[in-house]
């Protein structure tokens, strides 16, 4: 009888140990699942924070971009060109300049066009060069930003859309005819 009770208790203790092992195994599995869920939640939180950070950077960029572009527009609105009895202002500033250089160079060689450009337009350098500097500030702000290349193209297209056809023509004329080495000192 004593052996039967001892055997019964031994069997029950072995069963208890096996049951405890199974419970521990189940608890470890639950802990693993909780850790996986926590890790997934942390990853989702990290992704959400990164997305929020990107959104904040874009919003900050757009705010500054808008302010710089507004300052450029305000500068353009102050441009004034006096031609004979009339004058032109703001965005229309470049129209008489481009028309005059195009008219003057219709039958001229590029060297003559350069001389005409130097003679007729360099006296406007006090206005023209600050215009280019103002435009350069906007362009460099986009270029130096941490935006993707596609976003930079997008914002540069916004800048391009802000330029009048005459301003674009004048920029092309300026690029083709302005020689900073030869023209230095003649601008003031």
């Amino acid at each position: 009888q004593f052996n039967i009770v001892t055997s019964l208790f031994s069997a029950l203790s072995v069963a208890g140990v096996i049951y405890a092992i199974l419970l521990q195994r189940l608890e470890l599995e639950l802990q693993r699942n909780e850790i996986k869920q926590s890790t997934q939640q942390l990853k989702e939180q990290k992704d959400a924070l990164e997305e929020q950070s990107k959104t904040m950077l874009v919003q900050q960029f757009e705010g500054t971009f808008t302010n710089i572009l507004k300052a450029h527009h305000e500068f353009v609105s102050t441009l004034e060109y006096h031609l004979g009895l009339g004058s032109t202002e703001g965005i229309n500033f470049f129209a008489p300049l481009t028309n005059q250089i195009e008219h003057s160079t219709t039958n001229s060689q590029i060297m003559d066009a350069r001389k005409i450009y130097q003679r007729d337009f360099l006296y406007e350098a006090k206005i023209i060069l600050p215009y280019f500097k103002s435009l350069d500030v906007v362009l460099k702000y986009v270029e130096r930003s941490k935006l993707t290349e596609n976003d930079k193209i997008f914002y540069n297209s916004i800048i391009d859309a802000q330029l009048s056809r005459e301003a674009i023509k004048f920029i092309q004329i300026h690029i083709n005819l302005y020689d900073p080495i030869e023209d230095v000192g003649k601008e003031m």
Side-chain angles (χ1 to χ4, degrees), residues 41-146:
Q41 287 175 347
L42 287 174
K43 184 183 180 304
E44 288 171 3
Q45 287 176 352
K46 178 185 169 224
D47 292 345
L49 284 173
E50 285 176 357
E51 188 64 33
Q52 186 179 19
S53 176
K54 286 178 187 176
T55 302
M56 287 176 60
L57 285 174
V58 168
Q59 288 174 343
Q60 180 183 12
F61 170 84
E62 286 180 347
T64 305
F65 176 76
T66 301
N67 289 337
I68 292 172
L69 202 55
K70 181 180 177 185
H72 176 71
H73 281 293
E74 288 172 0
F75 174 76
V76 169
S77 71
T78 67
L79 295 177
E80 200 172 327
Y81 182 70
H82 298 284
L83 183 64
L85 298 175
S87 68
T88 183
E89 300 176 346
I91 197 165
N92 299 318
F93 172 80
F94 290 104
L97 295 173
T98 55
N99 291 340
Q100 190 174 350
I101 192 79
E102 286 175 345
H103 177 73
S104 298
T105 60
T106 303
N107 297 319
S108 301
Q109 299 295 332
I110 194 70
M111 204 59 193
D112 292 334
R114 181 157 165 56
K115 288 177 185 175
I116 292 166
Y117 177 79
Q118 288 174 330
R119 183 194 71 216
D120 293 345
F121 301 115
L122 287 180
Y123 74 90
E124 293 291 346
K126 292 176 188 161
I127 297 171
I128 293 169
L129 294 180
Y131 170 82
F132 286 130
K133 287 178 184 176
S134 174
L135 184 59
D136 189 51
V137 167
V138 181
L139 292 169
K140 281 183 180 173
Y141 180 70
V142 172
E143 185 58 35
R144 292 176 179 165
S145 70
K146 293 180 181 181

Side-chain angles (χ1 to χ4, degrees), residues 28-44:
L28 286 173
E29 186 66 34
L30 289 173
Q31 282 180 342
R32 275 191 218 117
N33 288 339
E34 286 178 17
I35 289 171
K36 283 181 185 177
Q37 287 176 349
S38 295
T39 303
Q40 182 63 29
Q41 287 175 347
L42 287 174
K43 184 183 180 304
E44 288 171 3

Side-chain angles (χ1 to χ4, degrees), residues 1-10:
Q1 254 181 354
F2 183 71
N3 284 340
I4 293 176
V5 173
T6 306
S7 296
L8 184 64
F9 280 121
S10 293

